Amino acid sequence: MRISARADYAVRAALQLAASRDDAPLKAEAIADAQDIPHKFLESILNDMRRGGLVLSQRGGNGGYRLARPAAAITIADVIRVVDGPLVSVRGVRPPELSYTGPAESLLPLWIALRSNVREILEGVSLADVASAQLPAEVSALADAPGAWVNP
């Protein structure tokens, strides 16, 4: 699985909004500076997040962006889907829409299992979990497993 720069930036921007202590909107420039994200790219991402119902925007001198729902009600999967589409696809096609024959026939359940595991993790972690550094125990256990940080 590959996490695009767009998805990484979107999650980081959402986390910056989640970590905001007051209810005042944050300006895109402030989010971009805090997370070292190119400002113009971030504006496009924030517009996608607004259209996807994850953030609200407010115009004017005191304007900016804020989360549309509590951080605990927005998962990492929600953010990635809004900016990048499906979490797992094969050649741009969702696994249930694929078919294989012969010795490759067993690939379909493999891709479905991969999709299921990715969904389980990303749908089980909220912005509040990450912003508070309180990842679910099962996610922490996976990250702490021997070899998790080693590239084969």
Side-chain angles (χ1 to χ4, degrees), residues 26-114:
L26 292 179
K27 296 194 179 300
E29 298 86 12
I31 298 168
D33 289 344
Q35 290 297 320
D36 196 25
I37 300 171
H39 178 254
K40 288 291 185 191
F41 195 25
L42 179 61
E43 285 283 357
S44 171
I45 291 166
L46 289 168
N47 280 330
D48 286 347
M49 292 172 69
R50 182 184 51 76
R51 282 190 297 275
L54 296 181
V55 300
L56 301 172
S57 63
Q58 180 178 326
R59 294 180 184 255
N62 293 329
Y65 296 88
R66 68 170 57 109
L67 294 177
R69 301 188 308 261
I74 300 173
T75 68
I76 302 301
D78 294 333
V79 178
I80 294 172
R81 283 186 184 113
V82 162
V83 299
D84 267 358
L87 296 176
V88 176
S89 65
V90 178
R91 301 181 326 261
V93 178
R94 291 181 172 152
E97 299 167 8
L98 297 169
S99 66
Y100 296 99
T101 60
E105 200 169 339
S106 294
L107 275 179
L108 185 56
L110 175 65
W111 297 152
I112 298 293
L114 173 66

Side-chain angles (χ1 to χ4, degrees), residues 121 125 133-145 148-149:
I121 292 169
V125 179
Q134 299 294 317
L135 294 177
E138 37 310 333
V139 173
S140 293
L142 288 169
D144 292 341
W149 293 83

